[in-house]
């Protein structure tokens, strides 16, 4: 029996190639806007957001000024982007039920506006910056409900890492760290055969070479960065609670260790190489290398704890959770006719 020849027009149409997945957070907003019953709410929320940002315009300028002039908070530009990423991860789970939230959101908004008005004539930038985050959370609760705020709590919480500390609080934390890092670094150099005389933040190397640990080298920058990174890793992982707690708590000693290693490396360079290679661009390069060293320590800690928990859960390397995206396979290439 001979097969029937193909008749023109009877072959099935070629399948459309699968497209890339959309952005869940944007899809939720767009879906709400396209719904006629919710469009007014979306437009009203956008207008209220604009008014809130206009009210806090000086606070936004304070953020920009701190992020561009203070190296301790140069990571501030990344924090809102990461918060949006976390919110997008939550949105991928689907919409939250819209119920309640008017009272809670109204209280947060009222408190934020009150603090903002009080902070206008007073030098209370720190309170104004916290009030802005509270106002954003309150507006979100009014529009989306208290259940949605509970689901999206971490993106709002993570915004705290972009807030610069008050100068008085920063000094109270940085000064002891500065002294501790100097003492630990001098102890390491003495143990490794490089005699160092440590007097406060001043260290005297052989030959009378002077080395000073400035406030910028106190380790606050590493501590802030590692704490934010460890908090993000703890949130993204599906490991048990003790695993997450250890990751967050380990950020502080890891940051201190990386900073001490940087000071020790600087001392070695000043003594064994040339003091000119311990300043300027070379000093910045040392800081970058020690940040990598700190990431290696954090990764090693995660790998070690992974041996104590099921391998199928959680993440090892801190960046692996952020790279765990749902990729759509590309369509198979068509055969040549």
């Amino acid at each position: 029996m001979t097969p029937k020849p193909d008749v023109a027009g009877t072959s099935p149409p070629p399948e459309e190639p699968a497209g890339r997945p959309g952005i869940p957070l944007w899809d939720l907003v767009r879906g709400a806007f396209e719904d006629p019953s919710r469009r007014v709410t979306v437009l009203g929320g956008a207008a209220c957001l604009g008014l809130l940002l206009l009210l806090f315009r000086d606070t936004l300028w304070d953020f920009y000024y701190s992020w561009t002039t203070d190296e301790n908070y140069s990571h501030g530009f990344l924090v809102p982007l990461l918060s949006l990423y976390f919110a997008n991860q939550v949105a991928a789970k689907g919409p939250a039920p819209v119920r309640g939230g008017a009272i809670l959101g109204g209280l947060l908004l009222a408190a934020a506006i009150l603090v903002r008005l009080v902070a206008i004539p007073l030098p209370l930038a720190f309170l104004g910056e916290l009030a802005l985050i509270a106002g954003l959370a309150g507006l979100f609760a009014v529009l989306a409900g208290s259940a949605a705020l509970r689901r999206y709590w971490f993106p709002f919480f993570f915004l705290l890492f972009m807030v610069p500390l008050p100068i008085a609080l920063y000094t109270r934390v940085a000064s002891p760290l500065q002294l501790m890092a100097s003492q630990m670094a001098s102890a390491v150099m003495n143990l490794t055969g490089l005699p160092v005389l440590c007097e406060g933040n001043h260290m005297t190397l052989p030959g009378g070479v002077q080395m000073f640990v400035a406030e910028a080298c106190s380790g606050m920058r590493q501590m802030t960065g590692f704490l934010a990174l460890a908090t993000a890793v703890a949130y993204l992982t599906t490991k048990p609670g003790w695993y997450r707690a250890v990751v967050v708590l380990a950020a502080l000693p890891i940051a201190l260790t990386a900073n001490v290693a940087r000071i020790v490396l600087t001392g070695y360079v000043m003594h064994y190489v040339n003091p000119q290679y311990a300043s300027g661009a070379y000093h910045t390069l040392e800081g970058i290398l020690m940040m990598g060293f700190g990431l290696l320590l954090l990764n090693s800690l995660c790998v070690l704890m992974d041996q104590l928990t099921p391998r199928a859960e959680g993440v090892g390397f801190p960046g692996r959770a952020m790279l765990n995206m749902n990729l759509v396979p590309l369509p198979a290439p068509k055969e040549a006719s």
Side-chain angles (χ1 to χ4, degrees):
M1 183 175 180
T2 58
K4 295 182 180 180
D6 292 338
V7 180
T10 60
S11 58
E15 296 182 358
E16 294 292 333
R20 292 289 182 181
I23 303 175
L25 185 62
W26 172 250
D27 292 341
L28 286 179
V29 176
R30 185 179 60 183
F33 180 78
E34 293 176 351
D35 185 356
S37 63
R38 302 168 61 189
R39 184 174 301 167
V40 176
T41 303
V42 175
L43 294 176
C48 291
L49 177 61
L51 291 175
L52 184 67
L53 296 179
L54 181 62
L55 177 63
F56 283 87
R57 60 186 181 278
D58 293 338
T59 301
L60 296 176
W61 169 252
D62 290 337
F63 276 131
Y64 176 79
Y65 181 80
S66 298
W67 298 345
T68 54
T69 59
D70 191 342
E71 294 183 351
N72 292 301
Y73 303 105
S74 58
H75 65 278
F77 290 102
L78 297 176
V79 173
L81 299 178
L82 289 174
S83 291
L84 285 176
Y85 170 81
F86 298 139
N88 191 66
Q89 293 292 99
V90 178
K93 301 177 182 179
V98 181
R99 59 173 180 267
I103 297 178
L104 175 61
L107 290 176
L108 288 174
L109 271 174
I113 294 174
L114 178 61
V115 171
R116 171 58 187 150
L117 295 177
V118 171
I120 289 178
L122 301 175
L124 299 175
F126 177 70
L127 292 181
E129 291 156 356
L130 294 180
L132 174 58
I133 299 176
L136 292 174
L139 179 60
F140 181 80
V142 170
L143 296 174
S146 56
L149 182 60
R150 285 193 297 269
R151 180 178 293 187
Y152 286 84
W153 71 271
F154 186 78
F156 288 105
F157 170 79
F158 195 77
L159 290 176
L160 294 175
F161 287 106
M162 71 180 183
V163 178
L165 293 176
I167 296 179
L169 179 59
Y170 176 88
T171 303
R172 290 181 64 89
V173 176
S175 296
L177 285 176
Q178 188 179 1
L179 182 60
M180 185 185 304
S182 302
Q183 294 173 344
M184 294 178 65
S186 62
V188 171
M189 285 187 281
N190 281 314
L191 289 175
T192 54
L194 177 58
V196 176
L197 175 62
C198 180
E199 297 175 319
N201 301 329
H202 292 266
M203 288 181 281
T204 304
L205 304 178
V209 178
Q210 298 295 318
M211 180 177 171
F212 175 71
V213 180
E215 187 178 85
C217 299
S218 63
M220 281 293 294
R221 190 185 318 169
Q222 291 92 334
M223 188 169 297
T224 305
F226 277 111
L227 186 59
L229 176 62
T231 303
V233 172
Y235 172 73
L236 291 172
T237 186
T238 57
K239 292 288 187 177
W242 68 265
Y243 186 106
R244 302 182 181 191
V246 171
V247 169
V248 174
L249 294 176
L252 303 182
I254 286 177
L256 180 60
T257 302
N259 190 50
V260 170
R262 178 184 183 181
I263 298 173
V264 172
L265 179 61
T266 302
Y268 288 159
V269 170
M270 293 182 68
H271 178 68
Y272 293 110
V273 185
N274 194 316
Q276 70 177 3
Y277 294 121
S279 60
Y282 299 101
H283 190 61
T284 302
L285 178 60
E286 292 173 4
I288 296 175
L289 292 176
M290 291 304 102
M291 286 292 291
F293 173 65
L295 289 175
L296 179 61
L297 291 178
L298 182 59
N299 180 41
S300 301
L301 175 64
C302 292
V303 171
L304 178 62
M305 292 192 298
D306 282 343
Q307 307 304 317
L308 306 176
T309 53
R311 187 175 298 274
E313 300 178 358
V315 295
F317 180 67
R320 188 175 301 168
M322 296 185 180
L323 297 177
N324 186 21
M325 303 177 183
N326 296 323
L327 299 179
V328 176
L330 295 176
K334 297 181 179 179
E335 297 181 358
S337 56

